Amino acid sequence: MPQTTKAPLDADEERVTRAQRLLIQLGAALVCQPFDTRTHDQLRAFLAEDAHDVLASLEVLRQRPEVELRRRVAELAGHHLLSTGGTA
């Protein structure tokens, strides 16, 4: 099997990705056990301690020009995107 080298995430990408995974996990936990105090505590801790930095990182990512975003997606996905949204 060929070895693939993935481009590393920068700090903002990493922060947003980790937060997204955590929030999906917490959301699923709330659906399964809506009154679990541990899940509520984890969500409160995220909102109090990390949400501000994550939102700042998300804004940095949103400010990137489309050309840069397409290049970055191509790096991370390992293929090139056409300007019409298709793949090459």
Side-chain angles (χ1 to χ4, degrees), residues 34-47:
F35 301 108
D36 181 61
T37 57
R38 186 169 156 234
T39 302
H40 285 258
D41 290 343
Q42 288 176 308
L43 181 55
R44 275 191 216 102
F46 170 80
L47 292 172

Side-chain angles (χ1 to χ4, degrees), residues 45-86:
F46 170 80
L47 292 172
E49 300 165 13
D50 300 322
H52 180 74
D53 290 340
V54 171
L55 291 173
S57 288
L58 185 58
E59 186 58 30
V60 167
L61 298 178
R62 286 182 175 160
Q63 294 301 317
R64 290 181 180 175
E66 182 179 349
V67 172
E68 183 181 340
L69 290 172
R70 287 184 177 280
R71 181 191 54 77
R72 190 64 180 131
V73 168
E75 286 176 10
L76 294 171
H79 57 79
H80 298 287
L81 301 176
L82 300 174
S83 61
T84 59

Side-chain angles (χ1 to χ4, degrees), residues 1-21:
M1 180 171 275
Q3 183 180 14
T4 58
T5 304
K6 290 189 177 184
L9 298 176
D10 66 28
D12 291 309
E13 294 166 342
E14 179 73 27
R15 187 175 294 115
V16 170
T17 300
R18 284 183 186 270
Q20 182 179 20
R21 289 179 183 155

